[in-house]
Amino acid sequence: MTVAHRLGTYEVAFLEPAEAERKLPGDALIVTDENVWAAWGKTFGKGRRVLVLPSGESTKSLSHFERCLKWLAEEGADRGATLVALGGGVIGDLAGFVASTYMRGIRYIQVPTTLVAQVDSSVGGKVAVDLPEGKNLVGAFYPPEEVLICPEVLLTLPWREFANGMAEVWKYGFILDADLVRALRHLRLTPQSAMLESVIRRCIQLKIEVVEQDESDTSGLRAVLNFGHTVGHALEKVLKYESLLHGEAVAIGMVAESKLGERLGVTARGTTEDITACLQLDGLPVTHDSLGLAETVGAMYADKKAEGGQLAFSLLTRIGECKLVKDVPRADVEAVMQAL
Ligand code: NAD
Ligand code: ZN
């Protein structure tokens, strides 16, 4: 699969882990995290220079950004160097941002090792680190040289992390592809499933179609990918990124935003029930008992997407179709959150 962007194109290839390793330049430098390294270091590390970072969102920080830059300098990396992001979205976002700035930009290759990273973060060129004040506040649009996807690496992914990625997989289906939703209901996907690769391919294809039309997230088209995320991001923030993983918060968010769509008459009746049943097939949460209503709604309006005090939502019209709805009245948002 080829992704076009303003500076050229890059390929998304599907490979066995050993084949992916052989495709990396011999002198490539690898950034990874401790869990990925423990599981896949033997396959990818042979004789290469590697920086192994702690796992977790706190690694997507300015201090680790600096650590990576200094490591590249110590290793004598020059403008011809290639950096490899071997890991989930945390490593991909961090290493991509490092590559975008080291010597004003060097090549980098994404080797995504979580389902989230394979279907979402490795494609599209958004790279970033967090500040204590908020997530992804420092970053860039910086496309990779290529994306090497090995579905096999998901075999070592903890179950909860796989389900976390499934929330994004369902999201693609809900907003853009009713056939995918039908297939997923029957497939009951696991890391062992024979159909896993084709589902990942479909998700990436859908993401490519959207980001190619709105690479820098300005026309509003890319915003359709935010279904479930306005509520989801607010929940994550209120819960301090501790009790819920991103996909779990998005699962709850999709249910809430579907209810909102039904309330506004945008979303077909019964859709919320349908998508709730889908998400529960993967053990994803669809509500949360400690939802501080005022706090969550407050966090939604404090978010950068609340332009002029009004929120825009990507809402389903029915399963497989969505549209961006601007100026949703706050009273409707509050009513839906209250009923959650
Ligand atoms: P993550 O990178 O923290 O990985 C989740 C956990 O799985 C970590 O503990 C990691 O060590 C472990 N892990 C990764 N691969 C493994 C494997 N193959 N086997 C065993 N363990 C493995 O989390 P994530 O969900 O992949 O990514 C989340 C990040 O991605 C967030 O920071 C989010 O902002 C970002 N993101 C970015 C974009 C984008 O467009 N750039 C899109 C979505 C998410
Ligand atoms: Zn997401």
Side-chain angles (χ1 to χ4, degrees), residues 33-36 39-40 54-57 60 87-93 112-117 120-128 130 135-136 152-158 161 164-165 168 207 222 229 245-246:
D33 80 21
E34 56 202 359
N35 295 332
V36 177
W40 295 98
S55 71
E57 184 71 25
K60 240 177 84 172
V90 164
I91 292 297
D93 281 13
T113 63
T114 61
L115 186 56
V116 167
D120 191 358
S121 59
S122 65
V123 174
K126 280 191 182 179
V127 296
D130 305 331
K135 264 180 64 97
N136 299 323
E152 199 181 318
V153 301
L154 303 181
L155 288 171
T156 58
L157 198 62
E161 293 291 346
N164 181 45
E168 302 282 356
K207 178 153 186 186
R222 198 162 172 160
H229 281 63
L245 296 176
H246 172 73

Side-chain angles (χ1 to χ4, degrees), residues 18-303:
E19 274 179 282
E21 190 277 332
R22 283 196 295 276
K23 283 204 77 180
L24 301 178
D27 57 356
L29 296 106
I30 298 181
V31 176
T32 188
D33 80 21
E34 56 202 359
N35 295 332
V36 177
W37 191 242
W40 295 98
K42 277 207 187 82
T43 309
F44 286 94
K46 285 179 228 149
R48 291 179 200 278
R49 293 169 289 178
V50 182
L51 178 62
V52 183
L53 298 174
S55 71
E57 184 71 25
S58 56
T59 292
K60 240 177 84 172
S61 65
L62 282 178
S63 61
H64 283 100
F65 170 68
E66 182 180 8
R67 183 161 170 209
C68 292
L69 292 171
K70 285 190 164 164
W71 173 68
L72 288 174
E74 283 158 19
E75 293 291 342
D78 60 19
R79 296 186 67 180
T82 300
L83 192 61
V84 176
L86 175 69
V90 164
I91 292 297
D93 281 13
L94 170 71
F97 186 49
V98 168
S100 76
T101 56
Y102 184 72
M103 292 192 167
R104 299 195 182 84
I106 59 170
R107 282 190 291 272
Y108 78 109
I109 297 174
Q110 291 275 16
V111 185
T113 63
T114 61
L115 186 56
V116 167
Q118 294 192 347
V119 299
D120 191 358
S121 59
S122 65
V123 174
K126 280 191 182 179
V127 296
V129 296
D130 305 331
L131 293 182
E133 288 76 12
K135 264 180 64 97
N136 299 323
L137 289 185
V138 190
F141 289 96
Y142 193 68
E145 192 68 10
E146 74 189 318
V147 181
L148 306 179
I149 297 193
C150 314
E152 199 181 318
V153 301
L154 303 181
L155 288 171
T156 58
L157 198 62
W159 173 85
R160 192 177 169 196
E161 293 291 346
F162 187 79
N164 181 45
M166 281 306 296
E168 302 282 356
V169 172
W170 284 110
K171 182 198 75 177
Y172 286 113
F174 294 156
I175 61 173
L176 296 166
D177 189 348
D179 288 341
L180 177 60
V181 173
R182 265 190 291 278
L184 288 173
R185 280 190 218 258
H186 295 292
L187 284 173
R188 309 293 297 271
L189 226 51
T190 69
Q192 283 79 19
S193 301
M195 292 300 288
L196 181 61
E197 177 172 327
S198 66
V199 169
I200 296 170
R201 277 181 189 275
R202 182 66 189 138
C203 293
I204 294 175
Q205 195 180 20
L206 291 166
K207 178 153 186 186
I208 292 173
E209 281 167 20
V210 174
V211 300
E212 279 186 349
Q213 295 175 66
D214 183 19
E215 187 185 348
S216 46
D217 205 355
T218 43
S219 77
L221 238 180
R222 198 162 172 160
V224 300
L225 297 172
N226 283 337
F227 176 54
H229 281 63
T230 307
V231 171
H233 282 148
L235 264 177
E236 286 186 276
K237 212 177 199 175
V238 168
L239 298 169
K240 303 194 167 49
Y241 301 95
E242 278 161 11
S243 54
L244 287 179
L245 296 176
H246 172 73
E248 295 169 345
V250 168
I252 297 168
M254 289 192 284
V255 171
E257 293 179 19
S258 175
K259 277 193 183 156
L260 177 64
E262 288 197 39
R263 183 185 168 90
L264 296 172
V266 174
T267 305
R269 285 197 180 279
T271 305
T272 309
E273 227 172 290
D274 282 352
I275 72 169
T276 301
C278 292
L279 295 166
Q280 284 175 327
L281 287 176
D282 283 312
L284 285 160
V286 289
T287 184
H288 197 270
D289 51 13
S290 63
L291 278 179
L293 165 75
E295 248 185 302
T296 310
V297 174
M300 278 157 73
Y301 282 87
D303 196 71

